[in-house]
Amino acid sequence: MDYAEIVHLVNTDPVAQVLLDSPVAMRLGYVGLDGHPRTVPVAYLWNGEAFQFASPTTAYKVRAIAAHPQVSFSVDTYSPEVRRRVAAQLGPTVSDYTPVVMLVRGTASIEVHPGVPDVHVKASWRMFADKSLAPGWEQQKRAHTTDMAVVTIRPTHLTLCDFVTRFPPPVEINAPAHDPAHGGSDSTPVPVN
């Protein structure tokens, strides 16, 4: 899929819409400054064109993403409520124990904003189970924050997996990532003992 197709899919697909509307953090994967992979949960938003989150400008992930802007993340849940909402859109689920998953790769850019950016407030509010706690959190956050980095991830690859209409892609789909001719590593299977 090209970028326009990815944007259309995220903006119209029922599984993507249910995940974007649910209080589920993205599990952001990035390369650390030491060259080793990292994963961290992040409250995020989809702005209709890209995924965004905000973080303190001094956060390690911000410095690492500035150095290595290629990132990936998953938004996934086993939540019975989310599965019910997906089933209402797609029909009966295959099983109650399979996750609903959005897998994304993309290129990140960073902008520093004064104060607390709206994207941070909206993403954080979405995560509060008890919305009555959000105003106090926001007031404290605004009182103690001078600036934040807004990280925008423009998706370059997206896979939705609901285990009803879409399952994880076969190995052939991911093979180019492991093909040395395409800049990947050897695709020899890992031996299992």
Side-chain angles (χ1 to χ4, degrees), residues 4-27:
E5 291 171 318
I6 293 171
V7 169
H8 178 73
L9 182 65
V10 176
N11 285 330
T12 60
D13 186 87
V15 173
Q17 292 299 301
V18 167
L19 284 169
L20 292 173
D21 189 46
S22 301
V24 178
M26 75 166 45
R27 301 170 199 257

Side-chain angles (χ1 to χ4, degrees), residues 3 14 44 119 130 182:
Y3 173 70
Y44 75 98
V119 65
D130 181 351
H182 292 95

Side-chain angles (χ1 to χ4, degrees), residues 165-190:
T165 62
R166 289 166 290 201
F167 294 83
V171 70
E172 295 80 20
I173 299 296
N174 290 318
H178 301 288
D179 184 352
H182 292 95
S185 60
D186 183 6
S187 61
T188 305
V190 175

Side-chain angles (χ1 to χ4, degrees), residues 11 19 29-30 50 69-70 74 82 95-96 125 133 135 137 149 156 160 188:
N11 285 330
L19 284 169
Y30 63 94
Q70 299 301 317
S74 70
V82 171
S95 62
D96 290 337
W125 270 72
L133 300 175
W137 165 85
T156 57
L160 289 166
T188 305

Side-chain angles (χ1 to χ4, degrees), residues 51-167:
F51 298 91
Q52 292 186 306
F53 67 90
S55 187
T57 56
T58 57
Y60 179 85
K61 66 180 171 283
V62 172
R63 292 182 288 132
I65 291 169
H68 305 284
Q70 299 301 317
V71 300
S72 65
F73 65 87
S74 70
V75 177
D76 57 273
T77 183
Y78 290 86
S79 161
E81 173 58 29
V82 171
R83 293 204 57 76
R84 276 193 294 278
R85 290 174 58 203
V86 168
Q89 298 283 332
L90 302 177
T93 59
V94 172
S95 62
D96 290 337
Y97 60 84
T98 55
V100 178
V101 183
M102 179 168 48
L103 304 169
V104 181
R105 291 192 305 258
T107 304
S109 59
I110 301 170
E111 292 181 6
V112 176
H113 291 249
V116 179
D118 286 343
V119 65
H120 186 65
V121 173
K122 290 175 184 175
S124 298
W125 270 72
R126 190 169 66 92
M127 301 302 287
F128 275 94
D130 181 351
K131 301 293 187 212
S132 70
L133 300 175
W137 165 85
E138 183 179 347
Q139 183 179 15
Q140 287 293 316
K141 189 74 174 180
R142 290 190 184 283
H144 299 288
T145 303
T146 57
D147 60 12
M148 292 187 81
V150 173
V151 178
T152 300
I153 301 170
R154 181 183 162 120
T156 57
H157 176 87
L158 185 129
T159 299
L160 289 166
C161 194
D162 54 55
F163 294 89
V164 177
T165 62
R166 289 166 290 201
F167 294 83

